[in-house]
Amino acid sequence: MTTATIAKPWYREFWPWFLMAGPFLAMVGCFITIYFAFTQFSNQPIQEEGLVKRGLVIEQQGAGAARQAAVQSKP
């Protein structure tokens, strides 16, 4: 006489929840990053090597203005 084991439903097992936890945590992190990007840093321009990028307009700053200020400040 052998007794058959009754299989538990998938949602009562450990492994499906463990395997779904990684992608779920990645989605939570993505939503948090998007939230911070839109609420905290949306009004700051992107600055790279003396250039300020605002939309499609790129304004040069730094090199020329810095030289003029240095020349004017010399006695």
Side-chain angles (χ1 to χ4, degrees), residues 8-21:
K8 294 189 280 185
W10 71 269
Y11 53 86
R12 297 218 184 234
E13 296 289 336
F14 167 74
W15 288 107
W17 297 107
F18 179 74
L19 294 174
M20 286 186 282

Side-chain angles (χ1 to χ4, degrees), residues 3-37:
T3 57
T5 59
I6 298 173
K8 294 189 280 185
W10 71 269
Y11 53 86
R12 297 218 184 234
E13 296 289 336
F14 167 74
W15 288 107
W17 297 107
F18 179 74
L19 294 174
M20 286 186 282
F24 178 74
L25 291 175
M27 289 173 36
V28 170
C30 180
F31 291 135
I32 291 172
T33 302
I34 291 171
Y35 170 76
F36 281 141

Side-chain angles (χ1 to χ4, degrees), residues 1 5 10 13 19 21 31 38 42 49 53-55 59-60 74:
M1 283 181 39
T5 59
W10 71 269
E13 296 289 336
L19 294 174
F31 291 135
F38 279 105
S42 63
E49 303 175 14
K53 298 179 181 179
R54 289 187 176 94
E59 300 173 2
Q60 181 72 35
K74 289 184 181 180

